[in-house]
Amino acid sequence: MALIEASHAFFTQKRTGARTALAMFSDASEILARLLEGGHSTIAGRLAGAFRNIGRERIADDIVRSMQAADYTVREIDPFDIRLELSLPRRETSPYAGRTGR
């Protein structure tokens, strides 16, 4: 829910925390339910762009396709000001492990 409430600025001001939170998702189902429930098409576009930025293309595609299937218009926008060339783990046991690089 916090990522849905996060502003565009959060992704540029708190890059590490935002990427760590995004890396915790293994699929789009949990966040997608909340996006659809609230009709958050703009936020869906921002989150799809953020997931794509960290290399989670499948999650980004699932968000965009599902929102469009529900008749929402989604314009994907990468909220990060830079793209890191690193491979984030698919799922950590703790969000702190992703921040410390372990």
Side-chain angles (χ1 to χ4, degrees):
M1 188 63 168
L3 286 173
I4 292 173
E5 297 296 324
S7 69
H8 184 90
F10 170 76
F11 293 90
T12 56
Q13 294 171 357
K14 304 289 185 185
R15 287 183 220 104
T16 302
R19 286 187 171 102
T20 301
L22 291 163
M24 296 299 297
F25 288 87
S26 59
D27 63 56
S29 61
E30 182 181 342
I31 200 160
L32 190 53
R34 294 179 188 270
L35 290 169
L36 287 165
E37 183 179 288
H40 300 295
S41 60
T42 301
I43 296 168
R46 179 169 49 237
L47 290 175
F51 277 112
R52 197 169 308 283
N53 180 285
I54 68 163
R56 301 289 170 82
E57 287 82 10
R58 184 177 48 87
I59 294 175
D61 291 342
D62 288 347
I63 290 171
V64 172
R65 274 192 298 249
S66 296
M67 293 296 288
Q68 289 174 340
D71 289 331
Y72 290 104
T73 301
V74 177
R75 195 176 88 212
E76 188 174 323
I77 297 173
D78 185 350
F80 292 107
D81 54 353
I82 58 171
R83 180 174 176 102
L84 296 180
E85 296 302 324
L86 66 105
S87 177
L88 292 172
R90 287 293 173 217
R91 184 160 179 120
E92 291 287 343
T93 55
S94 165
Y96 300 106
R99 293 179 90 177
T100 61
R102 295 179 191 240

